[in-house]
Amino acid sequence: AIRRAVLESRPVVVRHPATADGYVAGAAIERATLPLIREEHAKSDAEYHYFTRRPLEDPVYGMNDATNDATRMLQDRDRHDEKLPLFVLVGTGSTVESADGLELLSVYGVDAVVIDAAVADPETRETVDTLVSPELAAVDADLSTGALAASLASAVNDEVRADLVHLPAVSYWSDTPERYAELAHNAGYDLERVAELREAIALEAYYQSYQDKRELITDLLFEDGGDLAAHVSEQFREKLETEIETASANVVTEAVDGVEFALLDTDGYTHRFDFPPTPLLLDDLHRRHANGDPFATVGIGTDELYVRATTDLSVRDVADRAAEIAPAADISTAGLREGKIEFLSGERDAVEDAVVAAVAEQF
């Protein structure tokens, strides 16, 4: 679909979350597609007209994002006589929470491809042209979306395969598959270097999150001799450690039905409008405190919370069960990928108790 769009002079729009994994995935497809566009079009700025990568502030592809995309594509069609684009949604769009956004695109008959290694709902197949998901294909593999997109990119343009071999390793925060670590090492990226790239991308993904930062990301992932990533990753570690220190000092622990919980008031004990974002902070906090026993981390704010657990947790089931326990709180799943649940702020205390009980039931 991507190669066909290039040959048909249709713009390719890549949407991905503003996370390290999302940026790695989007950058891999970008690295593969831009040379094809340059070959197809003589104009020096063709790659800026026919390929756009737009990070998402929220991993769910919602109506806000779809409205923005629809507005842009219709303006480009009417003002510049451009064809309607191919949308490639990477690490987003695979769950029912994105259905409204996808349906808006489908009204205009645009093609959409969804690529997601983490989560997917069968219903998504009905709203997109192509859904690439190991989960729906019954493939049992420890894949990140970055790893999946790097494989896709090498199929789109085999000539850039050598540029991409280290990307899968960069996309994993922990438990990197040995094969991907080996590929990165053979390409000259040892574990420390891979970690620096991951951390640098995560930091840059946060700032000006809606910008693609094409040239900066290219420098970091493909053309950096080491100084840039090392410098940015040092900032990442300093900022993260400061937040972790504050959060750890204010974590409240409790045990429910044999499960230990670490509870953090994310309104009171995080800098909500500075790096790191709450999901990344909770990921790191959870990795540091989980020791193999049944353990869950819950970060709760004014009207949303995030859940991390040492078991395979169905966030949707947690939200449904919590809604039964606290029916007045209007509890709903806001994002499977990031373990996010929303609720009415006035019922916060009841929601916290209900979610803890619902999580404990799943162990």
Side-chain angles (χ1 to χ4, degrees):
I2 293 172
R3 291 176 63 87
R4 186 184 306 116
V6 173
L7 293 173
E8 294 175 350
S9 297
R10 292 171 58 208
V12 176
V13 176
V14 175
R15 292 294 237 152
H16 63 80
T19 61
D21 186 31
Y23 264 80
V24 166
I29 297 172
E30 181 178 88
R31 189 72 171 181
T33 309
L34 293 186
L36 302 180
I37 292 174
R38 296 187 194 109
E39 292 175 7
E40 190 69 20
H41 301 279
K43 291 185 177 180
S44 59
D45 62 348
E47 63 189 72
Y48 293 96
H49 289 289
Y50 292 101
F51 187 95
T52 305
R53 181 169 54 77
R54 298 179 194 149
L56 298 162
E57 295 190 54
D58 192 323
V60 171
Y61 186 74
M63 278 296 291
N64 188 56
D65 306 301
T67 300
N68 183 25
D69 286 341
T71 300
R72 288 194 184 192
M73 75 178 185
L74 295 175
Q75 287 177 345
D76 290 340
R77 182 194 66 182
D78 295 343
R79 294 179 183 177
H80 309 294
D81 199 29
E82 286 189 4
K83 296 181 179 179
L84 294 182
L86 168 70
F87 284 91
V88 182
L89 278 61
V90 186
T92 185
S94 66
T95 64
V96 294
E97 286 77 23
S98 296
D100 289 344
L102 291 170
E103 287 172 3
L104 177 60
L105 294 183
S106 69
V107 168
Y108 288 97
V110 298
D111 294 331
V113 175
V114 171
I115 302 152
D116 198 342
V119 291
D121 290 327
E123 297 89 337
T124 312
R125 286 178 167 169
E126 301 173 6
T127 54
V128 299
D129 297 276
T130 303
L131 174 59
V132 182
S133 166
E135 186 175 323
L136 294 187
V139 175
D140 184 15
D142 183 16
L143 277 178
S144 65
T145 298
L148 186 61
S151 295
L152 167 69
S154 66
V156 170
N157 185 356
D158 189 65
E159 293 185 6
V160 303
R161 182 183 296 267
D163 295 345
L164 308 174
V165 292
H166 65 295
L167 295 187
V170 175
S171 65
Y172 288 85
W173 285 100
S174 62
D175 302 323
T176 304
E178 184 177 343
R179 178 57 178 151
Y180 292 148
E182 179 185 345
L183 281 172
H185 184 271
N186 292 342
Y189 296 83
D190 60 19
L191 291 177
E192 181 179 359
R193 180 83 178 113
V194 167
E196 287 177 348
L197 288 175
R198 181 186 308 116
E199 292 164 356
I201 293 296
L203 184 71
E204 294 298 347
Y206 175 78
Y207 293 107
Q208 297 293 304
S209 58
Y210 50 87
Q211 298 283 354
D212 66 356
K213 300 176 279 284
R214 179 185 292 186
E215 293 77 13
L216 177 58
I217 298 302
T218 297
D219 283 349
L220 282 170
L221 285 179
F222 304 110
E223 298 174 9
D224 178 28
D227 292 343
L228 178 59
H231 174 71
V232 178
S233 72
E234 184 177 351
Q235 295 181 31
F236 170 95
R237 293 172 189 179
E238 290 175 356
K239 291 177 180 293
L240 181 62
E241 286 301 326
T242 299
E243 287 289 291
I244 285 290
E245 184 178 347
T246 300
S248 296
N250 292 283
V251 163
V252 176
T253 60
E254 65 177 67
V256 177
D257 295 337
V259 181
E260 185 173 354
F261 285 83
L263 307 173
L264 177 66
D265 178 353
T266 55
D267 280 347
Y269 300 109
T270 67
H271 294 94
R272 291 181 296 154
F273 304 109
D274 198 3
F275 186 86
T278 299
L280 193 153
L281 173 66
L282 292 175
D283 285 343
D284 195 83
L285 191 68
H286 181 71
R287 284 193 294 267
R288 296 188 187 206
H289 287 80
N291 57 8
D293 296 328
F295 185 83
T297 302
V298 178
I300 185 165
T302 301
D303 57 3
E304 64 182 29
L305 64 81
Y306 297 87
V307 180
R308 305 289 184 266
T310 55
T311 188
D312 289 334
L313 198 68
S314 169
V315 177
R316 197 167 283 155
D317 288 348
V318 168
D320 290 345
R321 177 61 180 135
E324 294 176 359
I325 300 172
D330 195 21
I331 299 171
S332 63
T333 306
L336 295 183
R337 168 180 291 277
E338 66 273 38
K340 183 179 179 182
I341 293 172
E342 292 181 343
F343 54 88
L344 295 178
S345 59
E347 297 290 323
R348 173 175 164 162
D349 292 341
V351 170
E352 181 176 329
D353 293 340
V355 167
V356 167
V359 171
E361 290 179 5
Q362 289 211 20
F363 276 85

